[in-house]
Amino acid sequence: MEDEVEYVKKADVKNVIRCYSHSPLLDWDIEYLETKVISKKKDNYVDAKKVNQLISTEELLRQTAEEAAELAQSALKLIRARIGTTPVSEREAIDHLSEEIADVENCIRVLYSRFPEICPKVGKISKAKMKRWKMRIERKNEVENRE
């Protein structure tokens, strides 16, 4: 466990945040990242590394697929809760969505541990896809505003 903690202490802050929070790094203050975020992510990193050692690749991929499917179902349930076509309240649906997001995030952390070479690729792809998504929405809004 000391090796993992030492790795986190020495790691480049941007890479740790990008890999273990799997969200694009924003213009945050580096000191804030080091003191607040890294200290919270360190335990998740160490736990993910341990889970990675305890399960097979097949089990990890199976678990990831299952959790991703549950996340999709909970997102659809929230849509139904918001329009009133399910007995589940919107608050309950949001709570369930939160739980499923956490499950998927945990699987992703273990995937990063199992396949560390994907981390920089995911960061680049995520950034490009977010920009493309934003541009599509902006274009759609421009067209709608012209009409």
Side-chain angles (χ1 to χ4, degrees), residues 13-23 25 112 119 123:
V13 173
K14 291 181 182 180
N15 287 335
V16 172
I17 297 302
R18 193 176 293 121
C19 290
Y20 297 100
S21 69
H22 47 273
S23 59
L25 185 64
Y112 281 147
C119 187

Side-chain angles (χ1 to χ4, degrees), residues 100-118:
E100 297 307 332
I101 289 170
D103 288 343
V104 170
E105 284 184 341
N106 284 336
C107 287
I108 290 169
R109 285 185 185 98
V110 179
L111 285 167
Y112 281 147
S113 184
R114 179 68 48 97
F115 304 107
E117 69 277 8
I118 69 173

Side-chain angles (χ1 to χ4, degrees), residues 72-82 86-88 93 96:
Q73 289 176 338
S74 67
L76 292 170
K77 178 71 87 173
L78 178 55
I79 292 169
R80 292 195 316 274
R82 294 184 80 183
T86 180
V88 174
H96 190 247

